[in-house]
Amino acid sequence: MSTATAELAGFEPLRAAALGVPCLVLDTPGADNFVLGGRTGYVVADQEQLGAEIVRGVRLLSDQRYADLTARCCRLWAGLFGWDRTAQLLARVVEHRIAMADAGRYGPAQRRSARSDITTRVRLPAGVPAPTAGLRVTDEVVVCDGVVELLLNGCDEVDAVSVLRRLGVTGASVRLAGRHDLLIGPRRLPPALAGHQGDRGDMWRVPFYDEFDVYRRQPA
């Protein structure tokens, strides 16, 4: 349980999740991003609700099947984070700044103009290969089940359309990145995590059989 009112890095919930332990956190900036409600723990609105949620959590976890499901989801969630991606992103930011200072390397892809706090998620049509040029060094590219997923940093939807036009790509799906995109990159959430309670919406959610449904229907 974490009663922190500011947990921007989410270390405590992720440490617990890595051990298969769900975490109960307050609905405060940062902490609520690192707990998937109903999967890897619960997010409560204020401290007055902590007692009731602790009792409910202990009751649910006394069911071995529920405890096993929760532990599996916790480890899946924690496994999506790693220092390698963090270090790579930092290195790319440094490389981008160097490129900006070097007029000879400052090509069209690096001259993208948008607010630095905006990121766009793009899914290319099936069969379209991953671009090998025309992106910023800070952009992320992954291939999931043969489909290319992009995270265009510092880029809104309008700029994303321009980027795709420059790449010669049509028919791509474009939307502003959500909190999970920013946390784990353009990878898809594993099916067991994709439909957690409190999800703020994912137009690309993977359908799955919700093994937690039986527990959600239980009275608090």
Side-chain angles (χ1 to χ4, degrees):
M1 180 179 69
S2 172
T3 58
T5 56
E7 177 66 36
L8 299 182
F11 288 135
E12 296 307 320
L14 287 179
R15 288 193 186 103
L19 297 173
V21 178
C23 192
L24 181 65
V25 301
L26 294 176
D27 187 6
T28 56
D32 61 337
N33 289 328
F34 292 91
V35 173
L36 303 183
R39 288 290 190 278
T40 68
Y42 291 94
V43 180
V44 297
D46 53 59
Q47 293 186 0
E48 294 181 357
Q49 298 181 23
L50 286 174
E53 284 300 320
I54 290 173
V55 172
R56 180 171 182 269
V58 170
R59 177 175 59 80
L60 287 171
L61 290 168
S62 65
D63 183 303
Q64 190 60 51
R65 181 170 177 267
Y66 179 89
D68 291 342
L69 286 171
T70 301
R72 177 164 59 90
C73 286
C74 284
R75 294 190 176 97
L76 278 173
W77 176 238
L80 297 174
F81 296 84
W83 288 112
D84 288 346
R85 176 173 176 260
T86 302
Q88 188 178 58
L89 288 175
L90 179 59
R92 288 176 176 178
V93 169
V94 173
E95 183 180 350
H96 175 62
R97 299 303 299 180
I98 293 174
M100 290 178 64
D102 185 346
R105 297 174 56 195
Y106 196 43
Q110 310 304 324
R111 288 199 296 268
R112 182 190 306 159
S113 60
R115 290 171 49 185
S116 61
D117 61 345
I118 291 181
T119 299
T120 299
R121 172 84 176 259
V122 175
R123 171 174 290 179
L124 302 187
V128 175
T132 57
L135 297 178
R136 273 187 177 181
V137 293
T138 54
D139 295 333
E140 295 184 75
V141 182
V142 299
V143 180
C144 301
D145 299 326
V147 176
V148 178
E149 310 269 3
L150 308 175
L151 206 58
L152 306 180
N153 291 291
C155 183
D156 59 20
E157 299 108 308
V158 175
D159 274 335
V161 171
S162 298
V163 171
L164 293 171
R165 186 181 302 117
R166 187 169 63 245
L167 295 173
V169 175
T170 59
S173 299
V174 178
R175 65 168 171 80
L176 286 178
R179 55 177 177 165
H180 296 143
D181 301 317
L182 299 177
L183 286 172
I184 67 173
R187 292 178 293 176
R188 302 178 193 174
L189 281 174
L193 301 177
H196 64 91
Q197 291 179 335
D199 197 333
R200 298 175 187 177
D202 184 350
M203 61 186 287
W204 299 330
R205 184 182 300 172
V206 179
F208 71 104
Y209 170 69
D210 191 349
E211 298 177 90
F212 283 87
D213 273 350
V214 63
Y215 300 101
R216 287 182 181 166
R217 290 193 292 268
Q218 292 184 13

